Amino acid sequence: MSGDNEQVSYDEPKYMYEALLEYHIPPDSVIQDGGGLRTMDSILRARDVYESDRYIVVSQPFHLKRAIFLARIQ
């Protein structure tokens, strides 16, 4: 889960993680990354920080095509 958590009162990765737990996703299969302030940050961090070459992109329809495009060109 990648998103903004720069403010104490707002933690996107935590909220997304908690939602997955409600669907019985195993906690150890999810990484929370608070450094994804922009889509490109999330993609580059998945590759460079977490050394992942496979991940799932989930977003609003408006952003999804752009996010997938960015992931493919990296």
Side-chain angles (χ1 to χ4, degrees), residues 26-50:
D28 59 346
S29 67
V30 180
I31 297 170
Q32 294 183 63
D33 173 34
L37 303 178
R38 300 175 306 138
T39 303
M40 184 61 84
D41 295 333
S42 296
I43 291 166
L44 293 176
R45 289 175 60 79
R47 182 190 71 191
D48 300 338
V49 175
Y50 299 102

Side-chain angles (χ1 to χ4, degrees), residues 1-2 5-7 11-13 18 23 26 29-30 32 34 37-39 45 48 51-53 60 67 70:
M1 312 312 310
S2 184
N5 77 339
E6 286 192 319
Q7 299 176 19
D11 189 341
E12 289 178 335
E18 290 172 352
Y23 287 95
S29 67
V30 180
Q32 294 183 63
L37 303 178
R38 300 175 306 138
T39 303
R45 289 175 60 79
D48 300 338
E51 299 178 349
S52 178
D53 60 357
Q60 300 166 329
L70 292 172

Side-chain angles (χ1 to χ4, degrees), residues 2-3 15 49 65-66 68 71:
S2 184
Y15 302 138
V49 175
K65 287 182 182 180
R66 178 180 54 85
I68 292 172

